[in-house]
Amino acid sequence: MWALASLLLPGPVRAAIPNAMLRGMPSLPKLPVPDRAITSPNGTVLPPITTIYYFDQLIDHNNPDLGMFQQRYWMDWEFYEPGGPIILTTPGEGPGDGFEALTTNETINGLIAQQQNGAVISIEHRFFGYSNPYDNLTSQSLALLTIQQAIDDLEYFANTADLPMPGGDAVKPGQAPWILTGGSYAGALTGWTMVDKPGLFWAAYASSGVVEAITHYFTPVREYMPQNCSSDVEAVIAYLDELYVANDTAGIQTLKEAFGLGDVVHVDDFATALQDNLFEWLNLQPAIGPGAMFFQFCDALEVKNGVSAGPEGWGLEHAIYSWGNFWNTTYYNSVCGSEDAETCLGTYNTSQSYWTDVTVNNSGRSWFWMVCNQVGWYHVGPPKGQSAIVSRILQPIYNERLCVNMFPQAFAYPPQPTTTQTDTMYAGWNVNVPRLFFANGLRDPWREATVSADGLNKPSNPNMPIYESDGFHCSDMLAKNGVVDPTVAAVQEAGLRYMKKWLAEWTPST
């Protein structure tokens, strides 16, 4: 889910994402590939971590006769010594290349490997990147993109893969302890796999694991963004919603024009565009400074003539002017580049190639399929009576309509994702399995889908510890965030302690 910084795309490419479902998708923050030689404990020079390996994976675990496809993976065994654990992770809803650093000690995966003399594997999720059972992403092909097939992929890999390191053919579960890790959607997949395949992985680490399939109201963002900024955003959103309820089309048009978005035809697309600024919160991490786009946005609203507004903000009139000016001078170019507003932000022209392109390595389309079918995770306006930094114009039907746009062959009318079934099958918030470590962030915009959701009050215990830092989405996955934020460091240290404890209890079964 729906990186969790966001989908990290450079400015000009972001214009190819004309909807909130993808701009707000949960995903992992990327790290640059370490520029250093990789050597084993005995000094042997190892292959670069960018080396791609291939595994023959079943196309359909329910019908092995359909044959195999090549699933890509990456591996780093620089810390491995015989008897050490095999740590399996996945970047989740994105291509594996670009996430090679997940195998290194710049992440929690590599820190576990370094501490325990283990090896790390990052395996590409089916139907993402170039790990595709078929050579297209049509609805017919994507029928095999399900949570269960992804879980079964992990099981089949662990049980049958002969790894490229020395002795890699003798480290199956039972011969060596396996640890499953992941962040964001991959963190949820970690929890779901531990529920569905008990005993396969000896231990697991889930960072910002969005285990419950629910809609989102941006509550953590509203609670932790600067209060003056949230006050003024709330004022503008309340005004837009008042115009909408009153069917004041002239007033809505005037408001759109203040943002330079007068050409956006439909008011729900305009409401989604305003939501874009809040999605910038998804890019924040403790190691990111004040120059981040989200802080530029709030500074544009709240700093006037060198003076910052008080907690109540500057009020509606100035908020419309300053927010609109930010779009006109800074943000529009970042999101849309040279495209006109309707082409960039509109979602009603289903002839756009964005909706019809079925070529592989299209993470947005693959993610859409999962959201539309099984997990939902829509960002919508909150119920009446709650403070709103997102317009109540945006309800699940807005996103469900986009599912029809993308997959008209599969959906004749807006579908309702089978979220209840997903939460029932894989336990959701009710997860209770041994040796599963949950790490979450107080300022994570996806926190409400994790076991640290407000009001859930799920107890932590030594069998299934739940730790929470002051961090953002998947902050604890990145080693550098622990350097600048002691609360993140405390979570990382706790995770490492539990891994050490649990691995000391493992004994081979074969």
Side-chain angles (χ1 to χ4, degrees), residues 39-239:
T39 59
S40 69
N42 66 12
T44 302
V45 176
L46 302 181
I49 63 168
T50 53
T51 303
I52 301 173
Y53 303 97
Y54 295 89
F55 173 71
D56 288 333
Q57 183 64 264
L58 289 168
I59 291 174
D60 183 356
H61 293 274
N62 299 316
N63 184 7
D65 290 342
L66 286 181
M68 320 291 280
F69 72 96
Q70 288 201 312
Q71 189 168 27
R72 303 195 301 172
Y73 69 99
W74 292 257
M75 188 170 180
D76 181 357
W77 61 93
E78 63 181 301
F79 304 115
Y80 181 76
E81 295 182 10
I86 306 300
I87 299 141
L88 181 62
T89 193
T90 173
E93 67 282 33
D97 42 343
F99 285 97
E100 297 91 346
L102 286 176
T103 64
T104 74
N105 62 355
E106 295 189 18
T107 67
I108 193 66
N109 310 314
L111 292 176
I112 297 170
Q114 187 172 16
Q115 173 182 275
Q116 303 295 150
N117 302 122
V120 186
I121 300 162
S122 177
I123 189 168
E124 194 167 55
H125 196 293
R126 63 168 48 213
F127 286 102
F128 290 89
Y130 290 100
S131 293
N132 293 278
Y134 299 110
D135 63 358
N136 61 71
L137 298 179
T138 63
S139 300
Q140 183 177 2
S141 296
L142 289 170
L144 291 173
L145 175 55
T146 66
I147 293 169
Q148 191 61 52
Q149 291 282 354
I151 291 173
D152 292 343
D153 284 348
L154 299 177
E155 178 186 43
Y156 191 73
F157 180 88
N159 284 334
T160 63
D162 289 335
L163 303 178
M165 68 181 185
D169 58 348
V171 289
K172 309 292 190 296
Q175 298 173 305
W178 281 60
I179 300 172
L180 184 62
T181 72
S184 192
Y185 160 67
L189 188 63
T190 295
W192 297 336
T193 302
M194 294 294 282
V195 169
D196 191 69
K197 307 291 182 185
L200 175 64
F201 295 94
W202 181 249
Y205 185 110
S207 173
S208 295
V210 283
V211 293
E212 183 82 0
I214 60 170
T215 54
H216 292 258
Y217 306 137
F218 280 87
T219 302
V221 180
R222 180 179 56 79
E223 290 176 344
Y224 289 99
M225 67 190 290
Q227 189 175 346
N228 53 10
C229 191
S230 64
S231 295
D232 279 338
V233 169
E234 286 177 30
V236 175
I237 295 303
Y239 180 61

Side-chain angles (χ1 to χ4, degrees), residues 90-441:
T90 173
E93 67 282 33
D97 42 343
F99 285 97
E100 297 91 346
L102 286 176
T103 64
T104 74
N105 62 355
E106 295 189 18
T107 67
I108 193 66
N109 310 314
L111 292 176
I112 297 170
Q114 187 172 16
Q115 173 182 275
Q116 303 295 150
N117 302 122
V120 186
I121 300 162
S122 177
I123 189 168
E124 194 167 55
H125 196 293
R126 63 168 48 213
F127 286 102
F128 290 89
Y130 290 100
S131 293
N132 293 278
Y134 299 110
D135 63 358
N136 61 71
L137 298 179
T138 63
S139 300
Q140 183 177 2
S141 296
L142 289 170
L144 291 173
L145 175 55
T146 66
I147 293 169
Q148 191 61 52
Q149 291 282 354
I151 291 173
D152 292 343
D153 284 348
L154 299 177
E155 178 186 43
Y156 191 73
F157 180 88
N159 284 334
T160 63
D162 289 335
L163 303 178
M165 68 181 185
D169 58 348
V171 289
K172 309 292 190 296
Q175 298 173 305
W178 281 60
I179 300 172
L180 184 62
T181 72
S184 192
Y185 160 67
L189 188 63
T190 295
W192 297 336
T193 302
M194 294 294 282
V195 169
D196 191 69
K197 307 291 182 185
L200 175 64
F201 295 94
W202 181 249
Y205 185 110
S207 173
S208 295
V210 283
V211 293
E212 183 82 0
I214 60 170
T215 54
H216 292 258
Y217 306 137
F218 280 87
T219 302
V221 180
R222 180 179 56 79
E223 290 176 344
Y224 289 99
M225 67 190 290
Q227 189 175 346
N228 53 10
C229 191
S230 64
S231 295
D232 279 338
V233 169
E234 286 177 30
V236 175
I237 295 303
Y239 180 61
L240 170 61
D241 286 354
E242 289 171 8
L243 295 174
Y244 180 74
V245 170
N247 196 28
D248 186 349
T249 56
I252 291 172
Q253 183 62 28
T254 299
L255 184 60
K256 288 192 293 185
E257 289 172 356
F259 285 76
L261 301 177
D263 292 339
V264 175
V265 176
H266 297 89
V267 67
D268 50 3
D269 288 337
F270 173 63
T272 302
L274 300 190
Q275 192 182 43
D276 278 1
N277 296 113
L278 302 176
F279 283 140
E280 295 296 338
W281 184 271
L282 297 174
N283 291 315
L284 297 182
Q285 290 294 339
I288 292 178
M293 184 64 80
F294 187 87
F295 296 126
Q296 291 183 46
F297 160 63
C298 280
D299 285 348
L301 265 66
E302 303 310 323
V303 179
K304 180 168 61 172
N305 299 324
V307 177
S308 294
E312 71 284 352
W314 291 113
L316 177 63
E317 183 177 353
H318 182 267
I320 292 174
Y321 168 78
S322 57
W323 193 353
N325 186 60
F326 181 72
W327 262 87
N328 281 297
T329 61
T330 303
Y331 201 67
Y332 186 93
N333 185 63
S334 170
V335 174
C336 296
S338 61
E339 286 187 335
D340 67 86
E342 178 62 16
T343 299
C344 173
L345 302 168
T347 62
Y348 285 80
N349 179 5
T350 57
S351 66
Q352 286 179 298
S353 61
Y354 173 80
W355 304 109
T356 59
D357 180 10
V358 297
T359 56
V360 300
N361 194 25
N362 183 346
S363 297
R365 185 175 181 88
S366 298
W367 182 244
F368 235 95
W369 180 262
M370 300 191 76
V371 171
C372 295
N373 282 283
Q374 289 191 281
V375 296
W377 285 330
Y378 301 139
H379 287 89
V380 300
K384 290 183 178 179
Q386 294 186 21
S387 299
I389 57 174
V390 173
S391 172
R392 293 186 178 88
I393 296 170
L394 300 177
Q395 295 301 315
I397 186 62
Y398 175 80
N399 296 282
E400 291 161 1
R401 175 182 59 81
L402 305 183
C403 296
V404 180
N405 287 5
M406 186 71 86
F407 305 110
Q409 297 82 8
F411 306 121
Y413 51 87
Q416 293 188 346
T418 58
T419 53
T420 300
Q421 181 180 351
T422 298
D423 293 334
T424 300
M425 286 183 64
Y426 305 112
W429 284 326
N430 296 317
V431 57
N432 183 23
V433 295
R435 297 184 299 277
L436 170 57
F437 184 91
F438 280 108
N440 296 312

